[in-house]
Amino acid sequence: MIPVGDSGEVELIFHAKARQRGILRKSAAVTVNDNSRDKFNLMLNGEMFQHDESDSLKPLALSEAMFSFDPNEKDEWKEIEVTNVSDSDLQLTMIADGPQFFEVKLPDKVKAGKTEKIKVKVLKDSPKPYFDKSFTFEMNDPDTTRLTLPVSLTREIPMTKPNPSPKAAHAKGTKVMPDTAKTGGNKSEHAVDNKGGH
């Protein structure tokens, strides 16, 4: 609910299919209780790239296609290198980010042919134990290209520790069987919001 005179946000999350690439156009219908405009569509236009094709992005080439964290990496900075593959200097402007979930350090400018770094860290007091979010920035190239990078905090299943076996007294000459029980844990896989927008 949005109170009178207030504002809110609508978040669209695009889930890519396996091996999906190329131009995409999606829409989402939003219904409200406004008699003058009870329904409207939000449009999403972009271009999908495979992770191994991240260097095909122009005018910026990226060393990685996303930022991925596990719970033990909260409050640690991770970096992605961005190289300006155009003939002109590029200014980068943040359009949308996730201030409650993560912090982004975006270079103000990437000179032609030069490489800079985008830095991201997940906040310690993130409101969710795991999430799939993203941030979008814009460049001042002739097409005013926008690029969206996913930021993912994975859900981790804690490692289970074996309970110590109680020491039992036994008569001389009896054999004690070794404890062969194995315990362990694993990390669950998660779906990544693959947002790539131009």
Side-chain angles (χ1 to χ4, degrees), residues 23-37:
I23 302 296
L24 65 92
R25 292 182 178 85
K26 299 289 183 179
S27 66
V30 179
T31 303
V32 297
N33 62 342
D34 183 351
N35 293 331
S36 64
R37 191 185 187 190

Side-chain angles (χ1 to χ4, degrees), residues 11 33 43 61 68 70 73-74 76 110 157 159 176 184 191 196:
E11 182 179 29
N33 62 342
M43 304 301 297
S68 182
D70 66 47
E73 295 174 320
K74 281 188 176 181
E76 293 183 9
V110 183
I157 299 176
M159 297 287 289
V176 179

Side-chain angles (χ1 to χ4, degrees), residues 3-147:
V4 176
D6 204 349
S7 62
E9 294 182 357
V10 176
E11 182 179 29
L12 294 181
I13 299 177
F14 173 73
H15 293 275
K17 297 178 181 178
R19 301 183 183 279
Q20 184 171 359
R21 67 181 70 187
I23 302 296
L24 65 92
R25 292 182 178 85
K26 299 289 183 179
S27 66
V30 179
T31 303
V32 297
N33 62 342
D34 183 351
N35 293 331
S36 64
R37 191 185 187 190
D38 60 349
K39 182 181 288 187
F40 59 92
N41 288 329
L42 296 176
M43 304 301 297
L44 174 65
N45 297 322
E47 186 171 3
M48 295 294 303
F49 294 89
Q50 295 296 104
H51 288 288
D52 57 359
E53 293 180 329
S54 59
D55 61 351
S56 66
L57 295 173
K58 293 181 180 181
L60 283 183
L62 284 74
S63 61
E64 300 288 340
M66 65 176 294
F67 287 91
S68 182
F69 296 82
D70 66 47
N72 295 324
E73 295 174 320
K74 281 188 176 181
D75 210 37
E76 293 183 9
W77 290 101
K78 286 195 173 184
E79 301 175 344
I80 284 181
E81 291 186 345
V82 288
T83 301
N84 183 349
V85 295
S86 73
D87 297 328
S88 303
D89 294 352
L90 292 173
Q91 291 182 337
L92 311 185
T93 304
M94 186 68 72
I95 299 299
D97 60 1
Q100 294 180 325
F101 298 90
F102 55 85
E103 182 180 348
V104 181
K105 288 184 178 179
L106 197 67
D108 295 329
K109 180 185 292 186
V110 183
K111 294 183 178 181
K114 299 297 183 180
T115 299
E116 298 288 347
K117 293 179 180 179
I118 297 176
K119 300 180 181 180
V120 173
K121 73 173 177 179
V122 172
L123 301 178
K124 284 184 177 180
D125 56 352
S126 168
K128 292 184 179 180
Y130 61 96
F131 59 78
D132 291 312
K133 299 290 183 181
S134 66
F135 64 94
T136 300
F137 61 90
E138 184 176 270
M139 291 159 267
N140 65 332
D141 61 312
D143 296 325
T144 58
T145 302
R146 289 186 176 185
L147 188 60

